[in-house]
Amino acid sequence: NNYLGGDIKSEVLVLAKRNAERSYEAAGLPLENLLLTAQNIELIDEILSPQDVVERIYINFCNPWPRPKHNKRRLTHPRQLKKYQTFLRPGGEIHFKTDNAGLFAFSVEEFPAGGFQPTQVTDDLHRDGIQGVMTDYEAKFHAMGTPIHRCVAVKGELPPQPAESPAPAEGDKAE
């Protein structure tokens, strides 16, 4: 497996690299399959092309962009989901975790518009004990008693797009 990690803040990537090096060293493995990039993930289509095939995307505790006018910046906005469609293999998955209930509700509702079927939807992932590997943010929020929301969205077909009406010919009346 190869891994690509991205964040717009290089200091986050430095920490990620340090943690990965420790984990790989502890397992006695060389760190050869990880690429970290300081890139705005909204520009993922400039990093990956349709020839690249990705099996799984993890979106963990991203910026919730809470103001309605900023919804298009969310990593789970249909515009962004359509970008993931270009390189995510059929049946591929987005694993999404957040502490933000508003972002989570928005995302679960928008996944189908981007061609993804939400599955494994939970509003309190760790209610019955720790599930899976926790990120640093996740451990912090969990320790504070904040519920962790999680969803796996499976790639399907994009919903049909409405056909655009042809422009009226010159001289025709627009209704």
Side-chain angles (χ1 to χ4, degrees), residues 90-152:
E93 300 172 337
I94 297 174
H95 290 241
F96 176 62
K97 288 197 280 189
T98 184
D99 63 307
N100 187 290
L103 172 62
F104 188 71
F106 169 90
S107 301
V108 170
E109 186 175 306
E110 295 298 326
F111 278 130
F116 291 87
Q117 178 62 43
T119 65
Q120 302 178 36
V121 178
T122 180
D123 283 319
D124 194 355
L125 178 61
H126 305 300
R127 178 180 319 157
D128 298 323
I130 303 300
Q131 301 296 314
V133 177
M134 294 179 89
T135 69
D136 292 342
Y137 281 119
E138 187 174 358
K140 177 179 126 182
F141 291 129
H142 178 67
M144 293 172 17
T146 304
I148 305 303
H149 309 278
R150 180 178 182 268
C151 173
V152 174

Side-chain angles (χ1 to χ4, degrees), residues 5-13 36-41 60-61 137:
D7 200 294
I8 200 163
K9 296 181 180 179
S10 56
E11 59 269 17
V12 171
L13 297 172
L36 299 173
T37 180
Q39 179 84 355
N40 182 338
I41 209 67
N60 294 322
F61 302 90
Y137 281 119

Side-chain angles (χ1 to χ4, degrees), residues 26-135:
L29 299 170
L31 183 58
E32 297 172 342
N33 61 344
L34 174 66
L35 174 65
L36 299 173
T37 180
Q39 179 84 355
N40 182 338
I41 209 67
E42 287 180 33
L43 305 174
I44 190 75
D45 52 343
E46 294 179 15
I47 300 171
L48 297 173
S49 72
Q51 291 77 29
D52 295 310
V53 179
V54 173
E55 186 174 319
R56 194 172 299 130
I57 298 171
Y58 293 93
I59 301 174
N60 294 322
F61 302 90
C62 60
N63 187 331
W65 296 104
R67 297 171 126 183
K69 70 179 186 177
H70 292 144
N71 283 355
K72 289 184 178 180
R73 293 182 177 182
R74 291 178 169 176
L75 298 182
T76 55
H77 186 276
R79 181 178 67 189
Q80 193 68 21
L81 295 171
K82 288 174 187 171
K83 290 180 183 181
Y84 305 150
Q85 281 276 348
T86 63
F87 56 81
L88 195 63
R89 72 166 175 77
E93 300 172 337
I94 297 174
H95 290 241
F96 176 62
K97 288 197 280 189
T98 184
D99 63 307
N100 187 290
L103 172 62
F104 188 71
F106 169 90
S107 301
V108 170
E109 186 175 306
E110 295 298 326
F111 278 130
F116 291 87
Q117 178 62 43
T119 65
Q120 302 178 36
V121 178
T122 180
D123 283 319
D124 194 355
L125 178 61
H126 305 300
R127 178 180 319 157
D128 298 323
I130 303 300
Q131 301 296 314
V133 177
M134 294 179 89
T135 69

